[in-house]
Amino acid sequence: MATIIPVERVKYKTNDGSKNPLCYLYFCRYCLNLKSSDMVYHEIDHLYCPSCLHPSYQREGFAKKNRCEQCWQCPFCSHTLSVRASSVLVPDEQDPQKTVPKKMYYLSCSNCRWTTRDVTIPDQLTGTFVSTPLVDPNVKRIEEIIDYFKYLAKHEKQEIDRKRATTRRKSYFGIPDKFGLLSKVQRRLSRTTLSATNLISQSSFDFNEAEATENVEALPESFYSQPLEISQVATMAQRLADPELQPVLSAELRPLALQFRPRFSRRCRQCQHNVIKPECSVSVTKFRIQMCALLHVPEVRLLEQPNLLAGQYCPVILTLTNLSAQEFHVLLSPLTPSDPEISAEVVVPQEDFLIPPEHMTMMDGSGNGDLAPVQPGSVGVLFRRENKVGIAVLVKPSVDKGDIIGSFLLKHDYVSTTLSSSKAEGQEEEQKVSWLEHPVVVNFGRLGESSC
C-alpha cells in the first residue's frame, strides 16, 4: 500500500528543539537519541573526482586547488568534456614534399557542441589534454594578502600563548622545601617566562594597504561606437566559474578543470562516535557505518488526506513502517502541547502493538491479513501489511483556519547492538533492551481538505 503524502507532513522532535522528517535524521546507538544535522560533526572523509572517480586526500586536494588534472568541464554548460581525435595532414619528416596523416586531439562538449577550437586553443598530440595556464595579473597582490593574513593568525596565536604564560597563578613559594621540589618549580617558571618574552619579540610585516584613487581607467571607444552583441559576452555564472581570470567575452572562455567533490562522515557531538562512515573506495555506494534514523525508528506517515471539521473529532489514518532488522513493540501516548504551533488534540490507541521487521515478512509472508474495521469514532489498529501497520486516531481541531497540527509521543523498544569491552572472550553478550521516546508532530492539513 503506497503512501503518497509528502514526508514533510510528519516531523520528529530532537533534543535540540528542531523538528525534521525521519529521513533527514540520524540515530546514535550509544546515546540512543535522534540527531539532527546540527547535532553531528560534518567531517570530510576524502575527496574524489565525479568523472574518473580518482580519490584524493585533503592535503593533496588543497595542493591541486580541489580540481582534477585529467577531467575538464565545459565553460558554457558545465558539462564534462570528452576527448575527440581528428586526422591532420602534416609534412613528412623524411620527405617534406609529402604529407602524412597524423592524429590530433581536442576537447568537445556533447551537450552544447562547444570545442577548444572555438577559442583558438591548438590541438594536442596526446589524448591527455593539458591546458596552458594563464598568468593572472593580480596573482602577486593576492599572494601578499594571503601572507599578511597568515601573519595575523600567527600573531593572534602568540598573543594567546603570552597571556597564558603571564597569567598569575597560585604561588607555592611559601611552602617549605621539604622534599627538594622548589628548585625544579623555579627552573620551570623561568623557562616559561623566557618563552613568553621570545613570543613578544617578533619581526614586523611589510604590507602595502590598498589606497582609493580618483583616476579610473577610461572605457575603450568601441564601447560607445559599436553595437553590443549579447551572444559574445560571457554571463555572470561563466565569469564566476573561473574566479582567477573572470573572462568578459565568450571567446576568452577556456575549459575548466573538474572540481573535486567531498564524501562526508558524520560524528555525534555528544559521544564522538560515527553515525555515518563511507567506504574508502569511491565506486562503492555502501557505508561502513550507516545509522540513519529511518532504519532504526518506526516511520509515521499519513495514509490519506483527512476531512477535518473545527471542534469535532475526525478520524485520521496513520501508517507505521518498520525498516529495521528487529521487531518493534510500539506504544502511542498523548503529549501535553507545549508548542504554540499545536492547534489540535490527538486521541491515540492506548494498547501497544507489534510491527515485524521487513526481512521476516518477506521470508514467511506473514502479516498480510486484514483486521475487522474499527467502529466509527473509535481508535485502534485498522490493518497489517507485512512490515506496515495502519492505525486510526481521532483529531479535534481547535482553530478555524490555517494548518491543523497535532502531536503525540511514540514509544518503542530497541535492542542495543553495541559491544561491551568488559565481556570475556568467548562469552555470549546479553542483549540490552531499552525503551525510547520520540515526540512526533503531524501536519494534518487544512480544514475541509480531503483526498476523495
Side-chain angles (χ1 to χ4, degrees):
M1 182 174 294
T3 305
I4 60 176
I5 304 298
V7 295
E8 288 79 7
R9 299 282 292 273
V10 181
K11 297 182 179 181
Y12 290 67
K13 190 174 182 179
T14 54
N15 292 337
D16 62 343
S18 62
K19 292 173 287 188
N20 298 279
L22 188 63
C23 56
Y24 296 159
L25 298 176
Y26 308 99
F27 180 78
C28 181
R29 59 180 181 177
Y30 297 92
C31 304
L32 297 180
N33 287 323
L34 294 177
K35 304 292 180 180
S36 63
S37 180
D38 296 333
M39 299 175 66
V40 295
Y41 292 109
H42 299 262
E43 302 173 351
I44 297 179
D45 197 71
H46 56 270
L47 305 173
Y48 72 97
C49 175
S51 179
C52 63
L53 300 180
H54 177 70
S56 177
Y57 294 101
Q58 292 191 34
R59 292 185 178 180
E60 182 182 358
F62 293 159
K64 296 179 180 178
K65 296 183 180 180
N66 291 333
R67 294 188 179 272
C68 183
E69 297 179 348
Q70 301 177 357
C71 304
W72 300 89
Q73 180 180 348
C74 177
F76 272 85
C77 63
S78 302
H79 196 270
T80 304
L81 298 176
S82 56
V83 180
R84 298 294 179 88
S86 63
S87 297
V88 180
L89 296 178
V90 296
D92 192 2
E93 296 180 357
Q94 299 180 357
D95 190 1
Q97 297 181 357
K98 297 182 179 180
T99 56
V100 294
K102 191 174 184 179
K103 275 192 174 183
M104 303 294 289
Y105 299 91
Y106 63 98
L107 295 179
S108 175
C109 179
S110 59
N111 185 33
C112 63
R113 304 301 178 183
W114 180 87
T115 63
T116 53
R117 295 178 176 178
D118 298 342
V119 291
T120 65
I121 296 179
D123 298 347
Q124 299 188 3
L125 301 176
T126 59
T128 304
F129 186 82
V130 179
S131 178
T132 304
L134 298 179
V135 179
D136 186 7
N138 301 320
V139 63
K140 186 176 180 181
R141 178 62 178 174
I142 294 175
E143 290 179 354
E144 290 181 358
I145 296 175
I146 293 175
D147 294 340
Y148 178 67
F149 276 97
K150 287 182 179 179
Y151 165 76
L152 291 180
K154 184 178 179 181
H155 180 70
E156 291 177 359
K157 184 179 179 181
Q158 289 178 351
E159 287 291 334
I160 295 175
D161 295 340
R162 183 184 64 83
K163 291 181 180 179
R164 289 178 180 175
T166 57
T167 302
R168 185 177 180 181
R169 299 179 180 178
K170 187 176 180 180
S171 177
Y172 297 95
F173 291 105
I175 302 175
D177 192 9
K178 182 177 180 180
F179 300 99
L181 299 177
L182 189 58
S183 59
K184 295 182 179 180
V185 174
Q186 289 178 347
R187 288 196 298 269
R188 183 179 298 178
L189 290 177
S190 62
R191 289 196 300 266
T192 306
T193 307
L194 289 175
S195 60
T197 306
N198 294 332
L199 289 175
I200 299 174
S201 60
Q202 51 188 338
S203 59
S204 60
F205 187 86
D206 296 334
F207 178 73
N208 298 325
E209 297 183 359
E211 297 180 359
T213 179
E214 296 180 357
N215 299 326
V216 182
E217 184 178 356
L219 294 174
E221 293 294 334
S222 59
F223 186 83
Y224 303 98
S225 59
Q226 297 180 2
L228 177 63
E229 295 185 7
I230 301 298
S231 60
Q232 297 182 1
V233 180
T235 63
M236 188 62 66
Q238 295 172 355
R239 297 184 190 182
L240 298 180
D242 191 0
E244 294 182 353
L245 300 177
Q246 298 186 10
V248 179
L249 302 177
S250 58
E252 300 175 356
L253 295 175
R254 301 178 64 85
L256 305 173
L258 203 60
Q259 191 172 7
F260 284 142
R261 293 185 181 179
R263 296 191 73 177
F264 290 96
S265 61
R266 274 78 177 181
R267 187 185 301 274
C268 178
R269 291 177 180 265
Q270 184 176 354
C271 63
Q272 303 297 323
H273 286 91
N274 281 323
V275 294
I276 295 293
K277 182 71 174 178
E279 289 284 350
C280 296
S281 178
V282 182
S283 58
V284 178
T285 58
K286 296 182 179 180
F287 291 83
R288 288 185 180 181
I289 303 174
Q290 188 177 15
M291 300 299 294
C292 296
L294 194 63
L295 303 177
H296 299 274
V297 178
E299 182 189 17
V300 181
R301 296 282 294 271
L302 278 171
L303 181 64
E304 57 186 8
Q305 177 62 44
N307 186 14
L308 302 176
L309 300 176
Q312 301 182 12
Y313 286 98
C314 305
V316 178
I317 302 177
L318 300 177
T319 61
L320 284 84
T321 309
N322 182 10
L323 298 178
S324 67
Q326 58 180 345
E327 63 180 7
F328 286 143
H329 293 82
V330 181
L331 177 62
L332 304 180
S333 61
L335 188 62
T336 304
S338 59
D339 194 344
E341 296 182 356
I342 303 300
S343 58
E345 177 188 355
V346 182
V347 180
V348 295
Q350 298 298 326
E351 67 276 1
D352 60 340
F353 49 90
L354 178 66
I355 307 179
E358 185 177 13
H359 67 90
M360 291 295 294
T361 57
M362 295 177 62
M363 291 174 58
D364 54 13
S366 61
N368 294 326
D370 292 338
L371 298 180
V374 297
Q375 299 179 359
S378 60
V379 295
V381 179
L382 284 179
F383 61 86
R384 296 181 183 272
R385 292 284 189 275
E386 297 180 347
N387 62 328
K388 180 182 295 187
V389 174
I391 61 173
V393 300
L394 296 178
V395 178
K396 182 181 179 181
S398 59
V399 294
D400 297 335
K401 58 181 180 180
D403 293 337
I404 306 302
I405 300 176
S407 63
F408 57 88
L409 192 63
L410 172 65
K411 301 179 182 179
H412 68 92
D413 59 342
Y414 178 77
V415 180
S416 179
T417 57
T418 56
L419 298 178
S420 176
S421 59
S422 60
K423 290 289 181 180
E425 186 176 358
Q427 184 180 358
E428 294 184 359
E429 184 179 2
E430 297 180 359
Q431 293 183 348
K432 183 180 178 181
V433 181
S434 304
W435 279 87
L436 308 180
E437 298 181 356
H438 310 293
V440 181
V441 180
V442 185
N443 185 355
F444 296 99
R446 296 178 178 271
L447 295 176
E449 290 184 354
S450 178
S451 59
C452 299

